[in-house]
Amino acid sequence: GGFKRFTAGNTDISNASRVIHTSEAAAAAEAGVEYLELRIATDGLSVAVNPSNDFVQCLTTEELRRIWEPGSSIKRWNQVRSDFPDSKISLYGPGTNSGTFDYFTEVIVGEVQASRPDYTASEDDNVLVLGVSGDRNALGYFGYAYYIENADKVRAVGIDGGNGCVLPTRESIEAGDYVPLSRPLHIYVNVESLARSEVAAFVEFYMNNAAELAAEVGYVG
């Protein structure tokens, strides 16, 4: 993906929806790539259900782990919680090349890229929103911007990360209350590339305008 090309020195700037991994930083060092990590905005991964779902208001991170971990045997909602109905659970999530997938698996399952494979996967969040909005048994996750844009089609579920249930909102993400699914969004810049005036000008424009533009599309500045 983008990080692989960036750490090899083949691109000047990499957009990142997760922090660079230790192995990727080592690859950059080996290739002689020195970089800057610049914080752009904050996202809150949103767990969503179909609007006709009237029984799930909140899920704990432990329940999410049991649903999504490799080898999970959960096929029906009442296996998540006994007072949930005995109906099929349909899962929707990003593909394995997505930074969203990396972040979710790391903070929920406990290991990057560790996930059950039997879910409807797409790199396009719009496809995931469409899937959840059309499936009454659905549970899916995607970025906050896509949830806000489609809040009339899907319903967000509160997440209990140990301090009670918190819904993803601009305020909860900004205050750091929406844990552990809030994540920083960065750009990574090859220091050598900054010597080129067009790259330096682009990065300056990015940093001067990122907060305002990020807010326009639904991220938190």
Side-chain angles (χ1 to χ4, degrees):
F3 264 131
K4 191 172 184 180
R5 293 190 295 273
F6 177 77
T7 56
N10 296 329
T11 55
D12 302 313
I13 299 169
S14 180
N15 296 319
S17 56
R18 60 166 173 79
V19 173
I20 192 168
H21 291 152
T22 306
S23 59
E24 292 162 338
E30 194 175 322
V33 175
E34 188 182 348
Y35 60 82
L36 295 176
E37 177 187 270
L38 303 174
R39 176 83 170 258
I40 299 302
T42 306
D43 185 19
L45 298 194
S46 302
V47 177
V49 294
N50 187 276
S52 66
N53 180 321
D54 60 0
F55 56 90
V56 181
Q57 305 304 324
C58 180
L59 290 169
T60 67
T61 50
E62 173 62 16
E63 287 168 334
L64 283 176
R65 182 188 64 77
R66 289 197 298 108
I67 292 168
W68 284 97
E69 66 187 346
S72 172
S73 60
I74 290 176
K75 305 284 187 187
R76 307 186 73 77
W77 277 106
N78 64 345
Q79 293 174 283
V80 179
R81 207 179 290 176
S82 60
D83 59 349
F84 287 170
D86 181 12
S87 56
K88 179 188 172 189
I89 186 168
S90 305
L91 298 175
Y92 295 82
T96 58
N97 289 327
S98 164
T100 302
F101 176 81
D102 283 355
Y103 189 83
F104 185 89
T105 52
E106 183 171 17
V107 301
I108 294 299
V109 179
E111 182 185 344
V112 174
Q113 294 259 318
S115 173
R116 66 189 296 169
D118 55 334
Y119 70 98
T120 301
S122 177
E123 304 294 348
D124 184 347
D125 285 346
N126 290 304
V127 171
L128 301 179
V129 166
L130 196 63
V132 175
S133 69
D135 185 343
R136 64 179 305 177
N137 294 310
L139 178 76
Y141 68 92
F142 32 78
Y144 177 70
Y146 289 92
Y147 158 59
I148 285 298
E149 195 177 309
N150 296 280
D152 58 332
K153 300 185 186 75
V154 298
R155 180 172 65 79
V157 171
I159 302 301
D160 185 349
N163 294 311
C165 292
V166 180
L167 282 162
T169 65
R170 182 177 181 82
E171 293 72 28
S172 67
I173 295 167
E174 200 165 53
D177 295 333
Y178 185 64
V179 292
L181 290 177
S182 290
R183 61 170 174 176
L185 303 177
H186 294 95
I187 59 170
Y188 287 82
V189 183
N190 187 319
V191 170
E192 191 176 311
S193 301
L194 280 174
R196 304 207 319 268
S197 59
E198 69 273 19
V199 175
F202 179 77
V203 171
E204 184 179 0
F205 176 85
Y206 211 127
M207 298 311 295
N208 286 339
N209 295 278
E212 184 181 342
L213 295 175
E216 278 184 24
V217 297
Y219 293 118
V220 177

